[in-house]
Amino acid sequence: METTKPKKEINYQFKVLYAIGIFMVVAGHARADDFLFWNELLHVAGFHMALFAFASGYFYSEKSEDKPGAYIWRKTQHLLIPFLLWNVFYGLVVFVLSKFGYTIGTPVTWQKFVYQSFTGNPPFAFNVPSWFVVPLFYTQVINVLVRCLFKKFQGLTKELIFLGVSFLIGFIAIILAGPEENTGFILHIYQMMYFMPFYTLGIFYKRYLEKKDTLSGFWYFTIIVLIELFYILLKGSSPVYSIIGMFHFDNPVLTYFMGIVGIAFWLRVSKILAPVIGKSKPLNLVADNTFSIMTNHELGFFVLNSAFYVLLTVANVSAKFDVEQYKAHVEYIFLPRGRGFPLVYVVFGICFSILLQKIVDFVKSKLFKRGE
């Protein structure tokens, strides 16, 4: 008699959370974050990258400690190898564009193709948002190796010690990182140390806090809003940190406290929205392609800019399109229609990244099928 494997239960709350998180990332790069109302109270730069580390920790499985080598290889396949392949792709894109007068991501050197990706942020401009991959990989590897060393210990006490030590590591990172932007290999180490408390908190939340997360929405959001208002009264604005360069922090305690507050806010919003939109196909499409969106949305912006450039040139329309900025800076956003127009870039960047991933998946399926 055949038995069928039970279907893997889908956590729609975290589908919503991933979709919200990646939307925040793309909106920030499209300069649409100022258009979004929540930045006045809860600026995304205070927590949005920490949110991804938290979610990654949430899905950590204790079974990974049975075969840590297989776990690390799986993470290498899912994170590092695609990261390096996209880096090669963008190196080639930058090289080709440089032949037509574009200076985005130049110069193209052999060092940039591999070495520099592990000694700083991705070097070819278009894929800079994928900087998150390397420190997250380090965080996951350190976590599983340390847990393997203490595998015989179990229970709440063990998790509290892990949580306390991880926060200490994060505090040290913020102190050592200092007030100036960091570069080189040490940058990834600081980023990994910063993510470690949020990653560990994700594990702790799933195992011990999630079942106790029952406070009514009214009091839950009231507490968060009051905390944010007090912070703004104290500091003058909502917290904004630069994790990509590891600087512009508050003191370590306040940095992590406000990061947790931001995560808590959107965690509850996701919980509320999950029964309503959690099974939405477009939302799940976004949530399932966060890696590609993180890596490729800047290319989507460039493609959209190029379309505007061609259309305006062919139509001979005078507009405030800065050709020099368009050819030199991947961050350039065309703004003909005021504050709301960057949302066009957000939607296009997300859709373009998903389409690009679908093309890659199709090519991979054909290649592997041919190799069988």
Side-chain angles (χ1 to χ4, degrees), residues 320-333:
K320 296 179 180 179
F321 189 92
D322 193 325
V323 177
E324 185 176 339
Q325 289 292 314
Y326 153 66
K327 291 189 172 185
H329 300 287
V330 73
E331 303 90 356
Y332 176 67
I333 300 294

Side-chain angles (χ1 to χ4, degrees), residues 167-168 170-172 174-175 194 198 231 235 241 249-261:
F167 271 99
L168 179 60
F171 290 174
I172 292 172
I174 290 173
I175 293 169
Y194 168 81
F198 294 112
Y231 180 94
K235 295 285 188 174
Y241 311 128
F249 291 108
D250 287 312
N251 67 70
V253 174
L254 202 54
T255 295
Y256 280 101
F257 179 72
M258 296 309 294
I260 291 170
V261 168

Side-chain angles (χ1 to χ4, degrees), residues 71-202:
Y71 171 83
I72 293 171
W73 173 238
R74 188 166 67 252
K75 292 299 179 181
T76 301
Q77 290 177 300
H78 291 168
L79 291 175
L80 280 192
I81 292 176
F83 170 79
L84 290 173
L85 290 176
W86 280 117
N87 194 58
V88 171
F89 169 77
Y90 280 112
L92 296 175
V93 169
V94 169
F95 177 77
V96 171
L97 288 176
S98 68
K99 301 302 179 181
F100 296 90
Y102 293 83
T103 58
I104 298 171
T106 56
V108 177
T109 64
W110 287 111
Q111 183 189 43
K112 283 186 175 183
F113 277 100
V114 177
Y115 173 73
Q116 193 167 327
S117 295
F118 290 95
T119 56
N121 294 314
F124 293 119
F126 290 103
N127 61 328
V128 164
S130 66
W131 66 266
F132 175 75
V133 171
V134 175
L136 177 64
F137 175 78
Y138 291 160
T139 301
Q140 293 171 333
V141 170
I142 294 295
N143 173 75
V144 74
L145 292 179
V146 171
R147 286 179 177 275
C148 283
L149 292 176
F150 297 93
K151 190 176 178 180
K152 66 178 181 179
F153 300 100
Q154 298 294 328
L156 178 61
T157 302
K158 171 189 172 182
E159 293 303 328
L160 285 172
I161 292 173
F162 275 140
L163 196 61
V165 171
S166 68
F167 271 99
L168 179 60
I169 290 171
F171 290 174
I172 292 172
I174 290 173
I175 293 169
L176 293 179
E180 302 296 329
E181 184 173 5
N182 292 272
T183 58
F185 180 70
I186 193 64
L187 172 61
H188 283 323
I189 301 303
Y190 287 155
Q191 289 167 337
M192 180 270 292
M193 293 170 70
Y194 168 81
F195 286 136
M196 187 64 73
F198 294 112
Y199 186 87
T200 308
L201 184 61

